[in-house]
Amino acid sequence: MKKSEFTFIGDIATMFATLPHHGFEPIGDDCTVLDMGSESLVITTDMVVEDIHFLRNISSPEEVAHKSLMVNLSDVAAMGARPIATLLSLSLPESAQGEWSEAFMRRYHAESLKVGVALVGGDTTASRDRITINVVAIGRAPKECIKRRSAAKPGDVVCVTGKLGASSKGLVDNMFGDLGTEAARIHRLAQARIAEGVWLGSRSEVRAMMDVSDGIASDIRHIMEQSGVGAEIELSSIPTDYDIRFATTGGEDYELLLSVEATSFEQLANEFEEATGTTLTAIGKIIEGSELRWLENGLPATLDLKGFTHF
Amino acid sequence: MKKSEFTFIGDIATMFATLPHHGFEPIGDDCTVLDMGSESLVITTDMVVEDIHFLRNISSPEEVAHKSLMVNLSDVAAMGARPIATLLSLSLPESAQGEWSEAFMRRYHAESLKVGVALVGGDTTASRDRITINVVAIGRAPKECIKRRSAAKPGDVVCVTGKLGASSKGLVDNMFGDLGTEAARIHRLAQARIAEGVWLGSRSEVRAMMDVSDGIASDIRHIMEQSGVGAEIELSSIPTDYDIRFATTGGEDYELLLSVEATSFEQLANEFEEATGTTLTAIGKIIEGSELRWLENGLPATLDLKGFTHF
């Protein structure tokens, strides 16, 4: 009877598709979008669960706060919107109701301050023995700046911001107690690409966009399915300092995966790097059909690459 | 080091007060309010935790779904707004990933359909052994219809919709296995006062409003604090079929607690009952100062009534 997360979400989306939508777009992007006239609101939510997403004896409350906030801000940035506020629900066992929760809140506050997002609501409750955190992030953007997974077209350049793989390599380092590595530090402190998302949102040459949450091998399929296209990815082009498996199937890098109108790509990438200090690297192209082709130096690659599944 | 929920929330609100608010009102009402021009959006979130808010061997998945949705819809109604959408996060242990989650979703869908709210986002994740549910509800209303806890004025009539106490009496009945009582049925099936909230929102004679979540003995203090007023409550006027302690300190009735400009009360209550089929009962008045006075047949009452605290 056990179902994968994606099947369950698919079933839910189908079940609720016939309900009145009140101006909200159907489920399928990093955020839901509510059309408010010339502006749109985007809203997303993510749950972070002790012993599933973090271990209390390995991750500090500060790191858990950081991660809980960043996964949500990253989803907002992936829509081309500016995050403006969050709501925070905390379920805390007695062992986390004092120092743990205070350290968590101090870091949540510091990161909120850094990116200028308000805390506008939430809930606190007890739990029997494990911590559960739910964050909702709300963003805002001019209507025409909102980017969706469904907008990729054959011929588009597929590209990513920054470098991939550090976060999942760092997760492994953390698990083995190698807390001092560069990857471990990135895993604990990676920042959502907020300024980058807003900048890319403002450019019409950018078509589909999403954040890298489960690894590009899994995430590119969402763009393919929603846009009704295929894709060709060149492994040797993927920007990474680590094993290609971390770079393709590891999540939580908070990088953005996007498709750009091909003739504009080079100019856009230069302007983007100048404006944000972040690189934009071409890793493949959108093709007709529904196939995902992996290439290595132009030849078909044989790696079986699957993204991370939560269940 | 353990703190009560209200202290923790107070600390959090103070900590985040200096952040840019981006058009959101400060924390303190049933929902946060975002001004979108002529209309306002209201947003709220509540977390429901296994072994804190429900026991899996007593509450069915249908009842848990019902409760998770209603507590949030009730918060939206309490603002005078119409709920339009929810986001649902589910953290499910393996034992709840099949039939339990499907039964939960069927009921969540049925209740959403009944009140016409969309499901626009969410998250599903595993957990080690207990279920955690987080619901976000979003509502919409003309700006002038939004009701706040801060708007009560001395002289206002304090009143409640429907009857109080059945839900908490029913909770006790359920715990003792008396599932067939009227109160137990109400506890499992009580509906948020959505049409009532929207109707009351449209009337300028209604000043402060909130929903009864922790019992009026606790909840009236929020109106008093936010409005800078006192209140006088007549115990014999409280509409209930049960012990006065259930009616004053028991929560989850999903009734609305409000203050109404005194000279308009009678006319308003008649029109309200005609329009919605629900009673509106005067139980006291707003007074100058900061004191909460309990009366019994006009004389000072000696009961020490405290609302429910989550921690």
Side-chain angles (χ1 to χ4, degrees):
Chain A
M1 289 303 288
K2 200 175 117 174
K3 294 187 173 190
S4 81
E5 184 190 21
F6 293 121
T7 310
F8 186 57
I9 286 176
D11 288 351
I12 294 174
T14 305
M15 192 180 208
F16 283 81
T18 56
L19 286 177
H21 57 76
H22 296 293
F24 284 93
E25 293 179 10
I27 292 175
D29 261 297
D30 290 279
C31 295
T32 183
V33 182
L34 177 62
D35 185 346
M36 303 293 293
S38 63
E39 281 204 305
S40 293
L41 281 188
V42 301
I43 309 179
T44 186
T45 186
D46 260 291
M47 203 173 234
V48 175
V49 180
E50 183 174 355
D51 292 337
I52 300 294
H53 302 102
F54 70 94
L55 301 170
R56 221 193 298 183
N57 62 352
I58 290 181
S59 297
S60 69
E62 289 83 359
E63 287 160 33
V64 177
H66 182 95
K67 176 180 172 154
S68 306
L69 185 59
M70 286 304 154
V71 292
N72 283 282
L73 298 182
S74 182
D75 282 335
V76 170
M79 303 298 295
R82 179 175 300 286
I84 56 173
T86 68
L87 292 89
L88 170 65
S89 299
L90 282 175
S91 169
L92 299 170
E94 199 160 331
S95 58
Q97 282 173 28
E99 282 172 35
W100 196 96
S101 66
E102 285 160 21
F104 177 97
M105 286 314 307
R106 277 194 301 271
R107 180 63 172 275
Y108 194 93
H109 175 265
E111 294 295 331
S112 297
L113 183 64
K114 206 187 282 179
V115 295
V117 299
L119 179 68
V120 297
D123 191 17
T124 58
T125 178
S127 81
R128 277 295 274 276
D129 54 11
R130 288 190 179 82
I131 299 164
T132 305
I133 300 139
N134 193 84
V135 174
V136 177
I138 303 168
R140 201 166 177 162
K143 193 175 173 174
E144 66 276 11
C145 293
I146 301 291
K147 300 300 179 191
R148 295 168 182 82
R149 296 175 179 182
S150 56
K153 289 185 182 158
D156 284 1
V157 171
V158 175
C159 50
V160 290
T161 60
K163 289 182 176 182
L164 299 175
S167 187
S168 51
K169 171 63 165 63
L171 174 64
V172 174
D173 289 352
N174 273 327
M175 283 168 61
F176 290 157
D178 294 337
L179 306 182
T181 68
E182 174 70 4
R185 200 190 58 79
I186 291 173
H187 177 73
R188 294 195 305 271
L189 301 174
Q191 295 287 322
R193 294 297 196 187
I194 296 172
E196 289 82 354
V198 172
W199 193 96
L200 293 165
S202 73
R203 299 296 292 249
S204 60
E205 306 97 309
V206 176
R207 287 183 171 145
M209 186 154 74
M210 67 182 297
D211 76 334
V212 180
S213 53
D214 298 324
I216 57 166
S218 166
D219 292 332
I220 188 68
R221 291 188 184 277
H222 295 297
I223 288 178
M224 290 164 52
E225 280 160 26
Q226 302 264 338
S227 298
V229 296
E232 205 172 76
I233 309 287
E234 170 57 56
L235 291 172
S236 68
S237 299
I238 293 173
T240 184
D241 296 329
Y242 305 98
D243 188 301
I244 192 69
R245 286 168 297 183
F246 288 125
T248 50
T249 66
E252 298 181 22
D253 280 313
Y254 310 132
E255 297 296 350
L256 301 172
L257 173 66
L258 53 150
S259 93
V260 176
E261 193 274 312
T263 59
S264 314
F265 175 74
E266 207 164 330
Q267 169 81 7
L268 182 96
N270 288 336
E271 288 180 37
F272 175 75
E273 193 169 340
E274 193 150 313
T276 64
T278 304
T279 54
L280 189 66
T281 308
I283 61 168
K285 64 178 180 189
I286 299 293
I287 57 176
E288 304 268 1
S290 60
E291 201 190 338
L292 175 58
R293 288 190 207 137
W294 295 97
L295 303 179
E296 198 163 5
N297 302 313
L299 298 171
T302 50
L303 283 171
D304 177 27
L305 298 165
K306 285 190 181 130
F308 178 75
T309 301
H310 294 285
F311 275 153
Chain B
M1 289 302 289
K2 202 174 114 173
K3 296 187 172 190
S4 83
E5 185 190 20
F6 293 122
T7 309
F8 186 56
I9 287 177
D11 287 353
I12 293 174
T14 305
M15 193 181 207
F16 283 81
T18 55
L19 285 177
H21 57 76
H22 296 293
F24 284 93
E25 293 178 10
I27 292 174
D29 262 297
D30 290 279
C31 295
T32 183
V33 182
L34 176 62
D35 185 347
M36 302 292 294
S38 63
E39 281 205 305
S40 292
L41 282 187
V42 301
I43 309 177
T44 185
T45 186
D46 260 292
M47 203 174 234
V48 176
V49 180
E50 183 174 356
D51 292 338
I52 301 293
H53 302 102
F54 70 94
L55 300 171
R56 222 193 297 183
N57 62 351
I58 290 180
S59 296
S60 69
E62 290 84 0
E63 288 160 33
V64 178
H66 181 96
K67 175 179 171 154
S68 306
L69 187 59
M70 286 305 154
V71 292
N72 283 282
L73 297 181
S74 182
D75 282 334
V76 170
M79 303 298 294
R82 179 174 301 285
I84 57 173
T86 69
L87 293 89
L88 170 65
S89 300
L90 282 174
S91 169
L92 299 169
E94 199 161 330
S95 59
Q97 283 173 27
E99 283 172 34
W100 197 96
S101 66
E102 284 159 22
F104 177 97
M105 286 313 308
R106 277 194 301 272
R107 179 64 171 274
Y108 194 94
H109 175 265
E111 294 295 332
S112 297
L113 184 64
K114 205 186 284 178
V115 296
V117 298
L119 180 67
V120 296
D123 192 16
T124 58
T125 178
S127 79
R128 278 295 275 275
D129 53 11
R130 290 191 178 83
I131 298 164
T132 305
I133 300 138
N134 194 83
V135 174
V136 176
I138 303 168
R140 200 165 175 161
K143 191 174 174 174
E144 65 277 12
C145 293
I146 300 293
K147 301 298 179 191
R148 295 170 182 82
R149 297 176 178 180
S150 56
K153 289 185 181 157
D156 283 1
V157 171
V158 175
C159 51
V160 290
T161 61
K163 288 182 175 181
L164 300 175
S167 187
S168 50
K169 171 64 165 62
L171 174 64
V172 174
D173 289 353
N174 273 329
M175 283 169 60
F176 290 158
D178 294 336
L179 305 183
T181 67
E182 173 71 4
R185 200 190 58 79
I186 291 173
H187 177 74
R188 294 194 304 271
L189 300 174
Q191 295 287 322
R193 295 297 197 185
I194 296 172
E196 290 82 353
V198 172
W199 192 96
L200 293 166
S202 73
R203 299 296 293 249
S204 61
E205 307 96 309
V206 176
R207 286 182 173 145
M209 187 154 75
M210 67 182 297
D211 76 335
V212 180
S213 53
D214 298 324
I216 56 165
S218 167
D219 291 333
I220 188 69
R221 290 188 185 276
H222 294 298
I223 289 179
M224 291 164 51
E225 279 160 27
Q226 302 263 339
S227 298
V229 296
E232 204 171 77
I233 308 288
E234 170 57 56
L235 291 171
S236 68
S237 299
I238 293 172
T240 185
D241 296 328
Y242 304 97
D243 188 301
I244 192 69
R245 284 168 298 183
F246 288 125
T248 50
T249 66
E252 297 181 24
D253 280 312
Y254 309 132
E255 297 296 351
L256 300 172
L257 174 65
L258 52 150
S259 93
V260 176
E261 193 274 312
T263 59
S264 315
F265 175 74
E266 208 164 328
Q267 169 81 7
L268 183 95
N270 288 335
E271 288 181 38
F272 176 75
E273 193 167 342
E274 194 150 311
T276 65
T278 304
T279 54
L280 189 65
T281 308
I283 61 167
K285 64 178 181 191
I286 298 293
I287 57 176
E288 304 267 1
S290 59
E291 201 189 339
L292 176 58
R293 289 190 206 135
W294 294 96
L295 303 178
E296 198 161 7
N297 303 311
L299 297 172
T302 51
L303 283 171
D304 177 27
L305 299 165
K306 286 190 181 130
F308 178 76
T309 301
H310 293 283
F311 276 152

